[in-house]
Amino acid sequence: VTRPHRTRTRLRLRVERVVAGGDGLAREPLDPAVGDAGGPARRAPSGGRVVFVPGALPGELVDVELVGAARDFARSRLVGVVEPSPARVTPPCEALHRGCGGCDWQHVDARTQLELKVEVVREALRRTARLPDAPVRAGGSVAPWDYRTSMRFALGADGVPSLHRHRSDDLVPLAGCPIAHPSLDDLVGQLRLPGADEVSVRVSAATGERSTWWRPEHVAGLVVPGDVRTGRGGWVTEHVAGVALRVSSPSFFQSGPGAAELLVATVRSVCGDELAGATHLVDLYGGVGLFASTLLPAGSGATVTVVEGSPDACADARVNLADRGADVVESSVERWAPERADVVVADPARQGLGRDAAAVVAATGAPVVALVSCDPVSLARDAAALREHGYVLSTSVVLDLFPQTHHVEAVTRFDLERAPRGTGTTG
Ligand SMILES: C[S@@+](CC[C@H](N)C(=O)[O-])C[C@H]1O[C@@H](n2cnc3c(N)ncnc32)[C@H](O)[C@@H]1O
């Protein structure tokens, strides 16, 4: 909990690194205070209080204004960059200049974005999982622009798709989004949905199909092109790694087909030998069956179980896996009765596995687990939880599936090195 700062204290700070969440981290004070606080700043004890600086990069000397404080850290607003990083670039997006909070890293060049994300994962594993030497490496990025084929928008009173101002409820109407695929941008420009609160929009780059799903569903006076599949039952067909996947509007799909391809290729690269020899694969948090349908080599006699909590995604997965005889189980992972597996792929939502689902993973006895994480801190917590069950982190590959934002994706391989505690057996 941060309290708002009553006085407008300004500081000049050197930024040490970026943290999970995307902000720069500095410590106060480095130099005398500047600006309207006036006078020299109080000397902090060595390694003074942490100050988070949104929009600042490692190595930069910045002027900030404190906007809130907790006991051992403060939040700030970037006022000026005195010594910019060589990685700093001018954000090209017009909506960003109008306050759109959709992209918080447009000021960082594309190559550096992935390097920073690798450092964020290393730091999370060092601090939270106590793994200072975890083998973490960069695995690749999707195209820096035009990559999103699924997006969710808020709607203003006029029904124009909009994004939120940074950390605010205020809306910024969009007239083009540079990270959206051009077909998605084109569709968004044609939608007018007065009376609705939010809309999910999806296009297939492969087939040109389009879908939208707005909430609440029963509103009148909408402008939607005739070819667009609407509502909960709307769907598009994505093509990934040579496989066609039906994706309904409520079902999760990666940021675009490029992200899905890169994830599948990365899981294959970290678990290739075990996948080739597997007789049973378990795909936890399986969504529409992305991994279950693409990971096993053609002609493999292996069986697959998909565990997924969303009924819409399960319905898609049953269609997408019909020719594989896969078992699609509609259940939360935590309540699923574990079955033996050679390889487990687990791709949980932002909060990660948590202790209960980590125990379920371990109960499969799988010698190899590929954990797909979209939050570096939950990855680190999960690494610690899996270690309790005998799983050792072998490699973590960091991907940039969300260029221009701080969002991180990592594929991490764990190997079972000893019998889980308390069971005396690996099953
Ligand atoms: C990050 S998505 C991954 C989906 C899929 N692996 C993919 O790549 O397309 C997480 C999925 O987990 C599902 N989910 C979230 N919490 C769950 C839980 N506790 N048990 C089972 N599924 C869950 C969501 O509905 C979503 O489909």
Short mmCIF file of all heavy atoms in Angstrom, two decimals, residues 27-50:
data_model
loop_
_atom_site.label_atom_id
_atom_site.label_comp_id
_atom_site.label_asym_id
_atom_site.label_seq_id
_atom_site.Cartn_x
_atom_site.Cartn_y
_atom_site.Cartn_z
N ARG A 27 17.69 4.20 -6.20
CA ARG A 27 17.69 4.39 -4.74
C ARG A 27 17.89 5.85 -4.45
O ARG A 27 18.65 6.54 -5.13
CB ARG A 27 18.80 3.58 -4.09
CG ARG A 27 18.50 2.12 -4.12
CD ARG A 27 19.66 1.30 -3.58
NE ARG A 27 19.47 -0.09 -3.97
CZ ARG A 27 18.72 -0.95 -3.30
NH1 ARG A 27 18.11 -0.58 -2.21
NH2 ARG A 27 18.60 -2.20 -3.72
N GLU A 28 17.20 6.34 -3.43
CA GLU A 28 17.30 7.76 -3.12
C GLU A 28 18.29 8.02 -2.00
O GLU A 28 18.45 7.14 -1.14
CB GLU A 28 15.93 8.31 -2.73
CG GLU A 28 15.50 7.86 -1.36
CD GLU A 28 14.31 8.62 -0.82
OE1 GLU A 28 13.99 9.70 -1.34
OE2 GLU A 28 13.72 8.12 0.14
N PRO A 29 18.86 9.21 -1.86
CA PRO A 29 19.10 10.08 -3.00
C PRO A 29 20.54 9.88 -3.43
O PRO A 29 21.39 9.53 -2.63
CB PRO A 29 18.89 11.46 -2.40
CG PRO A 29 19.34 11.31 -0.98
CD PRO A 29 19.16 9.85 -0.59
N LEU A 30 20.80 10.11 -4.70
CA LEU A 30 22.14 9.94 -5.23
C LEU A 30 22.82 11.30 -5.29
O LEU A 30 23.94 11.49 -4.82
CB LEU A 30 22.05 9.33 -6.63
CG LEU A 30 23.37 8.96 -7.26
CD1 LEU A 30 23.93 7.70 -6.61
CD2 LEU A 30 23.16 8.72 -8.75
N ASP A 31 22.09 12.28 -5.84
CA ASP A 31 22.61 13.63 -6.00
C ASP A 31 21.73 14.56 -5.19
O ASP A 31 20.64 14.17 -4.77
CB ASP A 31 22.54 14.04 -7.47
CG ASP A 31 23.63 13.37 -8.28
OD1 ASP A 31 24.63 12.93 -7.68
OD2 ASP A 31 23.47 13.27 -9.49
N PRO A 32 22.12 15.79 -4.99
CA PRO A 32 21.23 16.73 -4.32
C PRO A 32 19.89 16.79 -5.03
O PRO A 32 19.81 16.66 -6.24
CB PRO A 32 21.95 18.06 -4.44
CG PRO A 32 23.38 17.71 -4.65
CD PRO A 32 23.39 16.41 -5.39
N ALA A 33 18.84 17.00 -4.24
CA ALA A 33 17.50 17.10 -4.82
C ALA A 33 17.43 18.29 -5.77
O ALA A 33 18.14 19.27 -5.61
CB ALA A 33 16.48 17.29 -3.72
N VAL A 34 16.61 18.17 -6.79
CA VAL A 34 16.46 19.25 -7.75
C VAL A 34 14.99 19.66 -7.78
O VAL A 34 14.13 18.99 -7.24
CB VAL A 34 16.89 18.81 -9.18
CG1 VAL A 34 18.37 18.53 -9.21
CG2 VAL A 34 16.08 17.63 -9.64
N GLY A 35 14.72 20.79 -8.43
CA GLY A 35 13.34 21.18 -8.65
C GLY A 35 12.77 21.89 -7.45
O GLY A 35 13.50 22.42 -6.61
N ASP A 36 11.42 21.85 -7.35
CA ASP A 36 10.78 22.76 -6.42
C ASP A 36 10.82 22.31 -4.96
O ASP A 36 10.34 23.00 -4.09
CB ASP A 36 9.34 23.05 -6.86
CG ASP A 36 8.58 21.79 -7.13
OD1 ASP A 36 9.10 20.70 -6.88
OD2 ASP A 36 7.45 21.90 -7.61
N ALA A 37 11.38 21.10 -4.66
CA ALA A 37 11.59 20.76 -3.26
C ALA A 37 12.69 21.66 -2.69
O ALA A 37 12.68 22.02 -1.52
CB ALA A 37 12.01 19.31 -3.08
N GLY A 38 13.66 22.06 -3.57
CA GLY A 38 14.70 23.01 -3.18
C GLY A 38 15.68 22.41 -2.19
O GLY A 38 15.40 21.42 -1.51
N GLY A 39 16.90 22.96 -2.18
CA GLY A 39 17.88 22.60 -1.17
C GLY A 39 18.42 21.20 -1.34
O GLY A 39 17.90 20.42 -2.13
N PRO A 40 19.47 20.88 -0.62
CA PRO A 40 20.06 19.56 -0.74
C PRO A 40 19.17 18.50 -0.10
O PRO A 40 18.50 18.77 0.89
CB PRO A 40 21.39 19.70 0.02
CG PRO A 40 21.20 20.88 0.92
CD PRO A 40 20.15 21.75 0.33
N ALA A 41 19.16 17.35 -0.67
CA ALA A 41 18.32 16.27 -0.14
C ALA A 41 18.97 15.68 1.10
O ALA A 41 20.18 15.74 1.27
CB ALA A 41 18.16 15.18 -1.19
N ARG A 42 18.13 15.11 1.98
CA ARG A 42 18.63 14.37 3.13
C ARG A 42 19.46 13.21 2.61
O ARG A 42 19.10 12.55 1.64
CB ARG A 42 17.38 13.84 3.86
CG ARG A 42 17.65 12.95 5.02
CD ARG A 42 16.32 12.51 5.64
NE ARG A 42 15.41 11.95 4.64
CZ ARG A 42 15.46 10.68 4.24
NH1 ARG A 42 16.35 9.86 4.74
NH2 ARG A 42 14.61 10.22 3.34
N ARG A 43 20.61 12.96 3.22
CA ARG A 43 21.43 11.82 2.81
C ARG A 43 20.76 10.53 3.28
O ARG A 43 20.44 10.41 4.46
CB ARG A 43 22.82 11.90 3.44
CG ARG A 43 23.84 12.63 2.62
CD ARG A 43 24.43 11.74 1.53
NE ARG A 43 24.67 12.60 0.36
CZ ARG A 43 24.64 12.18 -0.88
NH1 ARG A 43 24.38 10.94 -1.15
NH2 ARG A 43 24.84 13.00 -1.86
N ALA A 44 20.56 9.62 2.38
CA ALA A 44 19.99 8.34 2.81
C ALA A 44 21.11 7.45 3.30
O ALA A 44 22.25 7.65 2.93
CB ALA A 44 19.30 7.68 1.63
N PRO A 45 20.79 6.48 4.18
CA PRO A 45 21.82 5.50 4.52
C PRO A 45 22.27 4.80 3.25
O PRO A 45 21.56 4.83 2.25
CB PRO A 45 21.07 4.54 5.46
CG PRO A 45 19.63 4.83 5.31
CD PRO A 45 19.49 6.20 4.74
N SER A 46 23.42 4.13 3.30
CA SER A 46 23.94 3.55 2.06
C SER A 46 22.90 2.62 1.48
O SER A 46 22.22 1.89 2.20
CB SER A 46 25.24 2.81 2.34
OG SER A 46 24.97 1.72 3.16
N GLY A 47 22.80 2.62 0.14
CA GLY A 47 21.77 1.82 -0.52
C GLY A 47 20.41 2.28 -0.08
O GLY A 47 19.59 1.50 0.38
N GLY A 48 20.11 3.60 -0.19
CA GLY A 48 18.90 4.24 0.33
C GLY A 48 17.62 3.62 -0.18
O GLY A 48 17.62 2.64 -0.94
N ARG A 49 16.50 4.23 0.22
CA ARG A 49 15.18 3.69 -0.08
C ARG A 49 15.00 3.50 -1.59
O ARG A 49 15.38 4.35 -2.40
CB ARG A 49 14.13 4.67 0.45
CG ARG A 49 12.71 4.17 0.30
CD ARG A 49 11.73 5.05 1.00
NE ARG A 49 11.69 6.40 0.47
CZ ARG A 49 10.70 7.25 0.67
NH1 ARG A 49 9.67 6.88 1.41
NH2 ARG A 49 10.73 8.45 0.16
N VAL A 50 14.36 2.41 -1.93
CA VAL A 50 14.09 2.11 -3.35
C VAL A 50 13.03 3.08 -3.89
O VAL A 50 12.04 3.36 -3.22
CB VAL A 50 13.60 0.65 -3.48
CG1 VAL A 50 12.89 0.42 -4.80
CG2 VAL A 50 14.76 -0.31 -3.32
#
